Amino acid sequence: MPRQLHLNAFLMNTGHHEASWRLPESDPYAHVSLAHYVNLARVAERGTFDSLFLADGPQLWNNLAQRPAGALEPLTLLTALATATEHIGLIATASTSYNSPYNLARKFASLDIISGGRAGWNIVTTAGAEAARNFGLDAEPAHAERYARAAEFLDVALKLWDSWEDDAIVADKAAGVWGDDAKIHPPRHAGTYFSVQGALNVPRTPQGYPLLVQAGSSEDGKGFAARYAEAVFTAQQTIEDARAFYADLKARTAAAGRDPEHIKVLPGIVPVIGSTEAEARAAEQVLEDHIVHTHGVGRLESLLQLPSGTLELDSELPSDLPPEDAIEGAKSRYTLVVELARRERLTVRQLIGRLGGGRGHLTFAGTPEQVADAIETWFTQGAADGFNIMPPVLPSGLDAFVDHVVPILRARGLLRTEYGPRRTLRERYGLPRPANQYVSTPATGTPALV
Amino acid sequence: MPRQLHLNAFLMNTGHHEASWRLPESDPYAHVSLAHYVNLARVAERGTFDSLFLADGPQLWNNLAQRPAGALEPLTLLTALATATEHIGLIATASTSYNSPYNLARKFASLDIISGGRAGWNIVTTAGAEAARNFGLDAEPAHAERYARAAEFLDVALKLWDSWEDDAIVADKAAGVWGDDAKIHPPRHAGTYFSVQGALNVPRTPQGYPLLVQAGSSEDGKGFAARYAEAVFTAQQTIEDARAFYADLKARTAAAGRDPEHIKVLPGIVPVIGSTEAEARAAEQVLEDHIVHTHGVGRLESLLQLPSGTLELDSELPSDLPPEDAIEGAKSRYTLVVELARRERLTVRQLIGRLGGGRGHLTFAGTPEQVADAIETWFTQGAADGFNIMPPVLPSGLDAFVDHVVPILRARGLLRTEYGPRRTLRERYGLPRPANQYVSTPATGTPALV
């Protein structure tokens, strides 16, 4: 079969454009509406997307005045969506800094079973002091420390997910023997950040464990991805940068002893779709006109770790910004924003407009053919294995993509036309079911729970 | 309206009898079968039960050889069941010892929104070293310390659930103002066990917060229930004990400054139903015949905190057991079991048989009329506001109760015949929606999210 695109629908209340909630069509309560998300999930499934994705942070992200704040907790919402869908993968963001491995491993295992093998975990270390202060800390842990904890968290979680062999359940009613305790492997982990006896109280799941997804593009983030990630979300503004990132990550994955085919690179794209290019540009302009720029200044200052009042709307960024090394928060996003502003000599007002759509992800306004062309170019020229689709307005932007771009991609042979017999999320991404680390000879046949 | 029963369906894989999985009808994979639980939820809804309930502990509870082990995590499973049901309440057990208030408050708030106000939280402190060792501790915290942490956990969670006023969302698209930051109240909690800045990133929910349920009957447990609980699950072997417990808890609740009508007492009952009394007794005998008694010895030694090898199957319990004060685990269950054995002079083998059905809860074998009579007697004689129904075998035991006992209770006017207009779990239990602690004058009208 020829190589095909992997598409992920990144869902976020009324859409990724910060002003989307102000459009007449938008539901300002969408962020807490199950019906809104059920509709989006079914549209994405109609478009034969590989997966849905929800971002997350355990804190109230912004002032309420500016735009919708708060959200349904992703694992909870995706569990509800699992019962409303049949095929599509369900990728929840969860933090290694502010969860316990035992609790989180259980929840993902439960979702994987309930969804028939469609769970994915977007592993984040969670930048920012606001989250830290909700969990007994005064400030965020240093970037390197967050990643060290994340690596140990993964090791523990992987042990827990493997702590039942696939055939541990015997179910011998006559003999009164339900399971084989010799096939249970408590992790007995004692490390720097965690001490976990185990075993998990959930059997091994259809996928073995959830698809592992990662989205940090710092040095630490890329190292972590090379070691663990099976899919990577990334923000790239130019095809040159995207190609360099793609090649670098595949090389790092090979260097870590893994098959580079087993990590899928998915840049984000905010498609603003019109039946003509002029119509798409007009739609983009309507969104930009709804931005309240004074709100954006505070957020930009926060991202760049500048004191409040530093930036002026109609000037460029200050020339003396610190290097990425000095940033303890979202390192790679910091560099992307600073480079974008410098490259195009944008004023703060213009920069806020550019970031309004995708917070640093590529915004692309055009006809369905132009959007499909851009996707095909990146896909065939070594910049992407697929895309993280981030509609600026929801549900209309996802409707437009599925109704108008998906048919073009299918006609070009770039996207599946139906889901077919593959069942699990990992199968959709073309990845093998992982072996159990405690089993030297894998059990033959299909595991009971698959 | 005359006082009516509140019924809760306590669901547990193939049933509450430890040997239930060995019956020909039972699915040994029921513990991880969404379809099994969806069926049970719909049967309970057909019986107009108030709620479903799932027990939990963050550890692998028993050896696999003995009986089904492991389970789907309750909040995850109940979220899936929320989408498969319309009316019934969804009560998940979660531990205050092994969760963070911010994470848990979010999950319950999300479930309450997704279910339209049907979430309940069975608050447990989690006895046992096995759980402690999954969360970085060598041994379980002392009983009193677990309850002190639980009280602080509740205070923080209640602050988080109230951190949005009901009308915090303004949704003024024209002015570009989504919410009113003056109606957000970060807890800024700094206590003995937790430091939580807040606010929650989920708006106030249909119920304000989940129904608060509690099941510990120790002195600490009853004090906690009097202060916080709106429903209490309890194990009582005799109507005399149940009446004393009921009167005591209502008095403690009044003494804590709360309306004693606002705490519902629900003893557990394991109904073994037959079309004749002899048939019911025979069904009970079939279950007892499937018990592997040698497995039960180890579990009983563990409950009584005795060294392995202390108990002999055909002797009574040793006479020199320690008093409840010396027990750091499940105190009240310890006393119940010891008193049952002494009162009836049971051998260890007989005690294991008696505990096989309900682990200390009352097992009652009889015709549907006899079961209904027992329920009515306890309900009208000051021993119960309703019952925690614990079918010995699932699904057949729940089917039998709904098909044969429920019609009798309805004919006697003791149970609702349909759900009617009440929507939330707290409304079903006849409880008011809680006021927001940060609002002196409650908002008028119906909150936007209800």
Side-chain angles (χ1 to χ4, degrees), chain A residues 22 26 56 64 70-71 83 98 103 106 110 134 173 179 181 198 201, chain B residues 23 26 56 64 70-71 73 83 98 103 106 134 173 179 181 197-198 201:
Chain A
R22 296 185 64 191
S26 292
D56 191 57
L64 262 64
T83 66
Y98 305 118
N103 285 342
R106 291 179 75 195
S110 298
N134 291 335
K173 291 181 179 182
D181 290 291
N201 54 0
Chain B
L23 299 187
S26 292
D56 190 58
L64 262 65
E73 191 278 324
T83 66
Y98 304 118
N103 285 342
R106 290 179 75 194
N134 291 334
K173 292 181 178 181
D181 291 291
Q197 171 73 14
N201 54 0

PDB file of all heavy atoms in Angstrom, chain A residues 22 26 56 64 70-71 83 98 103 106 110 134 173 179 181 198 201, chain B residues 23 26 56 64 70-71 73 83 98 103 106 134 173 179 181 197-198 201:
ATOM      1  N   ARG A  22     -16.422  34.631  19.353  1.00  0.00           N
ATOM      2  CA  ARG A  22     -17.220  35.845  19.130  1.00  0.00           C
ATOM      3  C   ARG A  22     -18.038  35.783  17.845  1.00  0.00           C
ATOM      4  O   ARG A  22     -18.887  36.650  17.620  1.00  0.00           O
ATOM      5  CB  ARG A  22     -16.293  37.066  19.088  1.00  0.00           C
ATOM      6  CG  ARG A  22     -15.585  37.321  20.409  1.00  0.00           C
ATOM      7  CD  ARG A  22     -14.782  38.604  20.366  1.00  0.00           C
ATOM      8  NE  ARG A  22     -15.659  39.768  20.195  1.00  0.00           N
ATOM      9  CZ  ARG A  22     -15.242  40.992  19.919  1.00  0.00           C
ATOM     10  NH1 ARG A  22     -13.931  41.210  19.747  1.00  0.00           N
ATOM     11  NH2 ARG A  22     -16.091  41.994  19.786  1.00  0.00           N
ATOM     12  N   SER A  26     -20.924  30.679  16.853  1.00  0.00           N
ATOM     13  CA  SER A  26     -20.242  29.931  17.923  1.00  0.00           C
ATOM     14  C   SER A  26     -21.059  29.858  19.213  1.00  0.00           C
ATOM     15  O   SER A  26     -21.719  30.821  19.604  1.00  0.00           O
ATOM     16  CB  SER A  26     -18.883  30.561  18.214  1.00  0.00           C
ATOM     17  OG  SER A  26     -18.028  30.376  17.113  1.00  0.00           O
ATOM     18  N   ASP A  56      -4.282  19.971  27.297  1.00  0.00           N
ATOM     19  CA  ASP A  56      -4.685  20.125  28.689  1.00  0.00           C
ATOM     20  C   ASP A  56      -3.575  20.707  29.537  1.00  0.00           C
ATOM     21  O   ASP A  56      -2.386  20.508  29.265  1.00  0.00           O
ATOM     22  CB  ASP A  56      -5.064  18.770  29.303  1.00  0.00           C
ATOM     23  CG  ASP A  56      -5.735  18.939  30.651  1.00  0.00           C
ATOM     24  OD1 ASP A  56      -6.752  19.643  30.706  1.00  0.00           O
ATOM     25  OD2 ASP A  56      -5.225  18.416  31.654  1.00  0.00           O
ATOM     26  N   LEU A  64     -11.006  35.135  32.345  1.00  0.00           N
ATOM     27  CA  LEU A  64     -12.296  34.821  31.737  1.00  0.00           C
ATOM     28  C   LEU A  64     -12.744  35.899  30.761  1.00  0.00           C
ATOM     29  O   LEU A  64     -13.456  35.607  29.792  1.00  0.00           O
ATOM     30  CB  LEU A  64     -13.373  34.650  32.815  1.00  0.00           C
ATOM     31  CG  LEU A  64     -13.666  33.211  33.214  1.00  0.00           C
ATOM     32  CD1 LEU A  64     -12.463  32.577  33.845  1.00  0.00           C
ATOM     33  CD2 LEU A  64     -14.868  33.150  34.114  1.00  0.00           C
ATOM     34  N   GLY A  70     -11.304  27.141  30.871  1.00  0.00           N
ATOM     35  CA  GLY A  70     -11.760  25.892  31.461  1.00  0.00           C
ATOM     36  C   GLY A  70     -12.161  24.918  30.372  1.00  0.00           C
ATOM     37  O   GLY A  70     -12.316  25.282  29.207  1.00  0.00           O
ATOM     38  N   ALA A  71     -12.297  23.676  30.775  1.00  0.00           N
ATOM     39  CA  ALA A  71     -12.619  22.623  29.810  1.00  0.00           C
ATOM     40  C   ALA A  71     -13.000  21.378  30.593  1.00  0.00           C
ATOM     41  O   ALA A  71     -12.688  21.264  31.778  1.00  0.00           O
ATOM     42  CB  ALA A  71     -11.409  22.317  28.929  1.00  0.00           C
ATOM     43  N   THR A  83     -17.734   6.075  23.523  1.00  0.00           N
ATOM     44  CA  THR A  83     -18.997   5.361  23.361  1.00  0.00           C
ATOM     45  C   THR A  83     -19.831   5.952  22.223  1.00  0.00           C
ATOM     46  O   THR A  83     -20.804   5.332  21.793  1.00  0.00           O
ATOM     47  CB  THR A  83     -19.836   5.405  24.658  1.00  0.00           C
ATOM     48  OG1 THR A  83     -20.228   6.754  24.912  1.00  0.00           O
ATOM     49  CG2 THR A  83     -19.043   4.869  25.835  1.00  0.00           C
ATOM     50  N   TYR A  98       2.290  16.237  37.389  1.00  0.00           N
ATOM     51  CA  TYR A  98       1.212  16.424  38.359  1.00  0.00           C
ATOM     52  C   TYR A  98       0.243  15.251  38.408  1.00  0.00           C
ATOM     53  O   TYR A  98      -0.940  15.422  38.681  1.00  0.00           O
ATOM     54  CB  TYR A  98       0.505  17.758  38.082  1.00  0.00           C
ATOM     55  CG  TYR A  98       1.486  18.904  38.081  1.00  0.00           C
ATOM     56  CD1 TYR A  98       1.705  19.679  36.946  1.00  0.00           C
ATOM     57  CD2 TYR A  98       2.261  19.168  39.215  1.00  0.00           C
ATOM     58  CE1 TYR A  98       2.644  20.699  36.944  1.00  0.00           C
ATOM     59  CE2 TYR A  98       3.207  20.185  39.223  1.00  0.00           C
ATOM     60  CZ  TYR A  98       3.391  20.944  38.084  1.00  0.00           C
ATOM     61  OH  TYR A  98       4.329  21.942  38.087  1.00  0.00           O
ATOM     62  N   ASN A 103      -2.120   5.885  39.256  1.00  0.00           N
ATOM     63  CA  ASN A 103      -3.455   6.392  38.893  1.00  0.00           C
ATOM     64  C   ASN A 103      -3.586   6.608  37.391  1.00  0.00           C
ATOM     65  O   ASN A 103      -4.594   6.249  36.780  1.00  0.00           O
ATOM     66  CB  ASN A 103      -3.727   7.724  39.596  1.00  0.00           C
ATOM     67  CG  ASN A 103      -4.036   7.559  41.074  1.00  0.00           C
ATOM     68  OD1 ASN A 103      -4.366   6.466  41.521  1.00  0.00           O
ATOM     69  ND2 ASN A 103      -3.927   8.635  41.831  1.00  0.00           N
ATOM     70  N   ARG A 106      -3.711   3.377  35.267  1.00  0.00           N
ATOM     71  CA  ARG A 106      -5.033   2.740  35.359  1.00  0.00           C
ATOM     72  C   ARG A 106      -6.038   3.401  34.440  1.00  0.00           C
ATOM     73  O   ARG A 106      -6.859   2.743  33.815  1.00  0.00           O
ATOM     74  CB  ARG A 106      -5.614   2.898  36.768  1.00  0.00           C
ATOM     75  CG  ARG A 106      -4.959   2.160  37.829  1.00  0.00           C
ATOM     76  CD  ARG A 106      -5.653   2.465  39.151  1.00  0.00           C
ATOM     77  NE  ARG A 106      -6.933   1.762  39.233  1.00  0.00           N
ATOM     78  CZ  ARG A 106      -7.874   2.040  40.114  1.00  0.00           C
ATOM     79  NH1 ARG A 106      -7.710   3.046  40.965  1.00  0.00           N
ATOM     80  NH2 ARG A 106      -8.978   1.349  40.138  1.00  0.00           N
ATOM     81  N   SER A 110      -7.886   1.687  31.368  1.00  0.00           N
ATOM     82  CA  SER A 110      -9.350   1.556  31.358  1.00  0.00           C
ATOM     83  C   SER A 110      -9.926   2.133  30.067  1.00  0.00           C
ATOM     84  O   SER A 110     -10.814   1.538  29.449  1.00  0.00           O
ATOM     85  CB  SER A 110      -9.938   2.283  32.572  1.00  0.00           C
ATOM     86  OG  SER A 110      -9.475   1.698  33.778  1.00  0.00           O
ATOM     87  N   ASN A 134      -1.035  24.602  42.003  1.00  0.00           N
ATOM     88  CA  ASN A 134      -2.227  23.780  42.297  1.00  0.00           C
ATOM     89  C   ASN A 134      -1.854  22.429  42.886  1.00  0.00           C
ATOM     90  O   ASN A 134      -2.740  21.648  43.249  1.00  0.00           O
ATOM     91  CB  ASN A 134      -3.057  23.583  41.025  1.00  0.00           C
ATOM     92  CG  ASN A 134      -3.713  24.878  40.574  1.00  0.00           C
ATOM     93  OD1 ASN A 134      -3.940  25.768  41.382  1.00  0.00           O
ATOM     94  ND2 ASN A 134      -3.994  24.979  39.277  1.00  0.00           N
ATOM     95  N   LYS A 173     -13.300 -22.574  35.547  1.00  0.00           N
ATOM     96  CA  LYS A 173     -14.374 -22.597  36.537  1.00  0.00           C
ATOM     97  C   LYS A 173     -14.393 -23.923  37.303  1.00  0.00           C
ATOM     98  O   LYS A 173     -14.618 -23.949  38.517  1.00  0.00           O
ATOM     99  CB  LYS A 173     -15.724 -22.388  35.849  1.00  0.00           C
ATOM    100  CG  LYS A 173     -15.915 -20.990  35.297  1.00  0.00           C
ATOM    101  CD  LYS A 173     -17.285 -20.853  34.640  1.00  0.00           C
ATOM    102  CE  LYS A 173     -17.482 -19.446  34.097  1.00  0.00           C
ATOM    103  NZ  LYS A 173     -18.828 -19.276  33.508  1.00  0.00           N
ATOM    104  N   GLY A 179      -7.115 -17.061  37.616  1.00  0.00           N
ATOM    105  CA  GLY A 179      -5.956 -16.505  36.930  1.00  0.00           C
ATOM    106  C   GLY A 179      -4.668 -17.183  37.363  1.00  0.00           C
ATOM    107  O   GLY A 179      -4.649 -17.967  38.320  1.00  0.00           O
ATOM    108  N   ASP A 181      -1.146 -16.515  38.815  1.00  0.00           N
ATOM    109  CA  ASP A 181      -0.351 -15.501  39.494  1.00  0.00           C
ATOM    110  C   ASP A 181       1.092 -15.446  39.014  1.00  0.00           C
ATOM    111  O   ASP A 181       1.772 -14.436  39.193  1.00  0.00           O
ATOM    112  CB  ASP A 181      -0.414 -15.731  41.014  1.00  0.00           C
ATOM    113  CG  ASP A 181      -1.804 -15.413  41.568  1.00  0.00           C
ATOM    114  OD1 ASP A 181      -2.160 -14.226  41.580  1.00  0.00           O
ATOM    115  OD2 ASP A 181      -2.528 -16.350  41.936  1.00  0.00           O
ATOM    116  N   GLY A 198       3.312  -2.014  42.616  1.00  0.00           N
ATOM    117  CA  GLY A 198       2.521  -2.680  41.577  1.00  0.00           C
ATOM    118  C   GLY A 198       1.853  -3.901  42.135  1.00  0.00           C
ATOM    119  O   GLY A 198       1.798  -4.042  43.339  1.00  0.00           O
ATOM    120  N   ASN A 201      -3.972  -2.926  38.649  1.00  0.00           N
ATOM    121  CA  ASN A 201      -5.222  -3.667  38.857  1.00  0.00           C
ATOM    122  C   ASN A 201      -6.132  -3.618  37.621  1.00  0.00           C
ATOM    123  O   ASN A 201      -7.356  -3.664  37.729  1.00  0.00           O
ATOM    124  CB  ASN A 201      -5.959  -3.166  40.109  1.00  0.00           C
ATOM    125  CG  ASN A 201      -6.198  -1.678  40.088  1.00  0.00           C
ATOM    126  OD1 ASN A 201      -5.818  -0.993  39.139  1.00  0.00           O
ATOM    127  ND2 ASN A 201      -6.823  -1.165  41.126  1.00  0.00           N
TER     128      ASN A 201
ATOM    129  N   LEU B  23     -20.038 -19.919  38.375  1.00  0.00           N
ATOM    130  CA  LEU B  23     -21.310 -20.432  37.866  1.00  0.00           C
ATOM    131  C   LEU B  23     -21.272 -20.501  36.339  1.00  0.00           C
ATOM    132  O   LEU B  23     -20.614 -19.685  35.690  1.00  0.00           O
ATOM    133  CB  LEU B  23     -22.466 -19.538  38.317  1.00  0.00           C
ATOM    134  CG  LEU B  23     -22.673 -19.420  39.830  1.00  0.00           C
ATOM    135  CD1 LEU B  23     -23.956 -18.641  40.113  1.00  0.00           C
ATOM    136  CD2 LEU B  23     -22.712 -20.785  40.499  1.00  0.00           C
ATOM    137  N   SER B  26     -21.804 -17.247  34.313  1.00  0.00           N
ATOM    138  CA  SER B  26     -20.973 -16.049  34.533  1.00  0.00           C
ATOM    139  C   SER B  26     -19.868 -15.889  33.504  1.00  0.00           C
ATOM    140  O   SER B  26     -19.252 -16.865  33.073  1.00  0.00           O
ATOM    141  CB  SER B  26     -20.364 -16.098  35.939  1.00  0.00           C
ATOM    142  OG  SER B  26     -21.380 -15.949  36.907  1.00  0.00           O
ATOM    143  N   ASP B  56     -13.722   0.699  44.969  1.00  0.00           N
ATOM    144  CA  ASP B  56     -12.398   0.805  44.355  1.00  0.00           C
ATOM    145  C   ASP B  56     -11.296   0.880  45.383  1.00  0.00           C
ATOM    146  O   ASP B  56     -11.492   1.355  46.503  1.00  0.00           O
ATOM    147  CB  ASP B  56     -12.311   2.068  43.492  1.00  0.00           C
ATOM    148  CG  ASP B  56     -11.054   2.079  42.651  1.00  0.00           C
ATOM    149  OD1 ASP B  56     -10.883   1.129  41.880  1.00  0.00           O
ATOM    150  OD2 ASP B  56     -10.227   3.001  42.781  1.00  0.00           O
ATOM    151  N   LEU B  64      -4.756 -13.817  41.797  1.00  0.00           N
ATOM    152  CA  LEU B  64      -5.575 -14.118  40.621  1.00  0.00           C
ATOM    153  C   LEU B  64      -6.189 -15.507  40.685  1.00  0.00           C
ATOM    154  O   LEU B  64      -7.268 -15.742  40.138  1.00  0.00           O
ATOM    155  CB  LEU B  64      -4.727 -14.013  39.356  1.00  0.00           C
ATOM    156  CG  LEU B  64      -4.858 -12.696  38.598  1.00  0.00           C
ATOM    157  CD1 LEU B  64      -4.320 -11.558  39.431  1.00  0.00           C
ATOM    158  CD2 LEU B  64      -4.152 -12.776  37.275  1.00  0.00           C
ATOM    159  N   GLY B  70      -8.771  -7.075  39.633  1.00  0.00           N
ATOM    160  CA  GLY B  70      -8.668  -5.939  38.739  1.00  0.00           C
ATOM    161  C   GLY B  70     -10.050  -5.472  38.311  1.00  0.00           C
ATOM    162  O   GLY B  70     -11.048  -6.173  38.490  1.00  0.00           O
ATOM    163  N   ALA B  71     -10.084  -4.282  37.763  1.00  0.00           N
ATOM    164  CA  ALA B  71     -11.362  -3.690  37.363  1.00  0.00           C
ATOM    165  C   ALA B  71     -11.066  -2.464  36.509  1.00  0.00           C
ATOM    166  O   ALA B  71      -9.957  -1.945  36.526  1.00  0.00           O
ATOM    167  CB  ALA B  71     -12.156  -3.271  38.590  1.00  0.00           C
ATOM    168  N   GLU B  73     -11.224   1.395  36.007  1.00  0.00           N
ATOM    169  CA  GLU B  73     -11.202   2.490  36.984  1.00  0.00           C
ATOM    170  C   GLU B  73     -12.607   3.120  37.024  1.00  0.00           C
ATOM    171  O   GLU B  73     -13.195   3.423  35.986  1.00  0.00           O
ATOM    172  CB  GLU B  73     -10.118   3.492  36.570  1.00  0.00           C
ATOM    173  CG  GLU B  73      -9.798   4.538  37.608  1.00  0.00           C
ATOM    174  CD  GLU B  73     -10.777   5.684  37.601  1.00  0.00           C
ATOM    175  OE1 GLU B  73     -11.243   6.057  36.501  1.00  0.00           O
ATOM    176  OE2 GLU B  73     -11.094   6.205  38.683  1.00  0.00           O
ATOM    177  N   THR B  83     -23.153   7.925  29.239  1.00  0.00           N
ATOM    178  CA  THR B  83     -23.662   8.117  27.884  1.00  0.00           C
ATOM    179  C   THR B  83     -24.632   7.007  27.496  1.00  0.00           C
ATOM    180  O   THR B  83     -25.326   7.130  26.499  1.00  0.00           O
ATOM    181  CB  THR B  83     -22.513   8.165  26.865  1.00  0.00           C
ATOM    182  OG1 THR B  83     -21.881   6.886  26.813  1.00  0.00           O
ATOM    183  CG2 THR B  83     -21.496   9.227  27.244  1.00  0.00           C
ATOM    184  N   TYR B  98      -4.763   8.976  48.123  1.00  0.00           N
ATOM    185  CA  TYR B  98      -3.896   8.720  46.966  1.00  0.00           C
ATOM    186  C   TYR B  98      -4.337   9.475  45.721  1.00  0.00           C
ATOM    187  O   TYR B  98      -4.160   9.005  44.594  1.00  0.00           O
ATOM    188  CB  TYR B  98      -3.805   7.209  46.722  1.00  0.00           C
ATOM    189  CG  TYR B  98      -3.328   6.489  47.958  1.00  0.00           C
ATOM    190  CD1 TYR B  98      -4.118   5.553  48.599  1.00  0.00           C
ATOM    191  CD2 TYR B  98      -2.106   6.819  48.527  1.00  0.00           C
ATOM    192  CE1 TYR B  98      -3.696   4.932  49.763  1.00  0.00           C
ATOM    193  CE2 TYR B  98      -1.674   6.209  49.699  1.00  0.00           C
ATOM    194  CZ  TYR B  98      -2.468   5.260  50.310  1.00  0.00           C
ATOM    195  OH  TYR B  98      -2.043   4.665  51.463  1.00  0.00           O
ATOM    196  N   ASN B 103      -6.787  17.443  40.763  1.00  0.00           N
ATOM    197  CA  ASN B 103      -7.103  16.454  39.724  1.00  0.00           C
ATOM    198  C   ASN B 103      -8.465  15.808  39.959  1.00  0.00           C
ATOM    199  O   ASN B 103      -9.255  15.646  39.021  1.00  0.00           O
ATOM    200  CB  ASN B 103      -6.036  15.352  39.694  1.00  0.00           C
ATOM    201  CG  ASN B 103      -4.739  15.811  39.066  1.00  0.00           C
ATOM    202  OD1 ASN B 103      -4.700  16.815  38.358  1.00  0.00           O
ATOM    203  ND2 ASN B 103      -3.660  15.089  39.328  1.00  0.00           N
ATOM    204  N   ARG B 106     -11.512  18.104  39.373  1.00  0.00           N
ATOM    205  CA  ARG B 106     -11.774  18.287  37.932  1.00  0.00           C
ATOM    206  C   ARG B 106     -12.539  17.118  37.356  1.00  0.00           C
ATOM    207  O   ARG B 106     -13.434  17.275  36.535  1.00  0.00           O
ATOM    208  CB  ARG B 106     -10.456  18.335  37.142  1.00  0.00           C
ATOM    209  CG  ARG B 106      -9.636  19.519  37.353  1.00  0.00           C
ATOM    210  CD  ARG B 106      -8.371  19.379  36.515  1.00  0.00           C
ATOM    211  NE  ARG B 106      -8.644  19.606  35.115  1.00  0.00           N
ATOM    212  CZ  ARG B 106      -7.813  19.298  34.133  1.00  0.00           C
ATOM    213  NH1 ARG B 106      -6.669  18.695  34.403  1.00  0.00           N
ATOM    214  NH2 ARG B 106      -8.120  19.566  32.890  1.00  0.00           N
ATOM    215  N   ASN B 134       1.941   1.592  46.371  1.00  0.00           N
ATOM    216  CA  ASN B 134       1.835   2.031  44.973  1.00  0.00           C
ATOM    217  C   ASN B 134       1.994   3.543  44.836  1.00  0.00           C
ATOM    218  O   ASN B 134       1.992   4.068  43.722  1.00  0.00           O
ATOM    219  CB  ASN B 134       0.488   1.603  44.386  1.00  0.00           C
ATOM    220  CG  ASN B 134       0.407   0.094  44.223  1.00  0.00           C
ATOM    221  OD1 ASN B 134       1.436  -0.567  44.087  1.00  0.00           O
ATOM    222  ND2 ASN B 134      -0.803  -0.435  44.231  1.00  0.00           N
ATOM    223  N   LYS B 173     -20.594  38.598  23.147  1.00  0.00           N
ATOM    224  CA  LYS B 173     -19.780  38.556  21.926  1.00  0.00           C
ATOM    225  C   LYS B 173     -19.483  39.951  21.395  1.00  0.00           C
ATOM    226  O   LYS B 173     -18.365  40.224  20.945  1.00  0.00           O
ATOM    227  CB  LYS B 173     -20.507  37.741  20.860  1.00  0.00           C
ATOM    228  CG  LYS B 173     -20.607  36.256  21.172  1.00  0.00           C
ATOM    229  CD  LYS B 173     -21.329  35.514  20.056  1.00  0.00           C
ATOM    230  CE  LYS B 173     -21.393  34.023  20.354  1.00  0.00           C
ATOM    231  NZ  LYS B 173     -22.064  33.281  19.268  1.00  0.00           N
ATOM    232  N   GLY B 179     -16.234  36.161  30.070  1.00  0.00           N
ATOM    233  CA  GLY B 179     -16.580  35.847  31.457  1.00  0.00           C
ATOM    234  C   GLY B 179     -16.245  37.002  32.386  1.00  0.00           C
ATOM    235  O   GLY B 179     -15.595  37.976  31.993  1.00  0.00           O
ATOM    236  N   ASP B 181     -14.309  37.933  35.591  1.00  0.00           N
ATOM    237  CA  ASP B 181     -13.249  37.454  36.492  1.00  0.00           C
ATOM    238  C   ASP B 181     -13.543  37.736  37.965  1.00  0.00           C
ATOM    239  O   ASP B 181     -12.977  37.082  38.838  1.00  0.00           O
ATOM    240  CB  ASP B 181     -11.897  38.047  36.072  1.00  0.00           C
ATOM    241  CG  ASP B 181     -11.422  37.475  34.744  1.00  0.00           C
ATOM    242  OD1 ASP B 181     -11.077  36.284  34.711  1.00  0.00           O
ATOM    243  OD2 ASP B 181     -11.446  38.192  33.726  1.00  0.00           O
ATOM    244  N   GLN B 197      -3.546  26.674  44.953  1.00  0.00           N
ATOM    245  CA  GLN B 197      -3.875  28.051  44.614  1.00  0.00           C
ATOM    246  C   GLN B 197      -5.280  28.139  43.994  1.00  0.00           C
ATOM    247  O   GLN B 197      -6.064  28.992  44.333  1.00  0.00           O
ATOM    248  CB  GLN B 197      -2.818  28.573  43.616  1.00  0.00           C
ATOM    249  CG  GLN B 197      -3.123  29.930  42.987  1.00  0.00           C
ATOM    250  CD  GLN B 197      -2.952  31.066  43.968  1.00  0.00           C
ATOM    251  OE1 GLN B 197      -2.361  30.899  45.035  1.00  0.00           O
ATOM    252  NE2 GLN B 197      -3.474  32.219  43.601  1.00  0.00           N
ATOM    253  N   GLY B 198      -5.599  27.262  43.028  1.00  0.00           N
ATOM    254  CA  GLY B 198      -6.864  27.333  42.308  1.00  0.00           C
ATOM    255  C   GLY B 198      -6.816  28.391  41.240  1.00  0.00           C
ATOM    256  O   GLY B 198      -5.745  28.825  40.900  1.00  0.00           O
ATOM    257  N   ASN B 201     -10.399  24.661  36.717  1.00  0.00           N
ATOM    258  CA  ASN B 201     -10.573  24.980  35.296  1.00  0.00           C
ATOM    259  C   ASN B 201     -11.820  24.309  34.710  1.00  0.00           C
ATOM    260  O   ASN B 201     -11.854  23.974  33.529  1.00  0.00           O
ATOM    261  CB  ASN B 201      -9.311  24.638  34.498  1.00  0.00           C
ATOM    262  CG  ASN B 201      -8.870  23.208  34.689  1.00  0.00           C
ATOM    263  OD1 ASN B 201      -9.505  22.462  35.419  1.00  0.00           O
ATOM    264  ND2 ASN B 201      -7.788  22.826  34.040  1.00  0.00           N
TER     265      ASN B 201
END
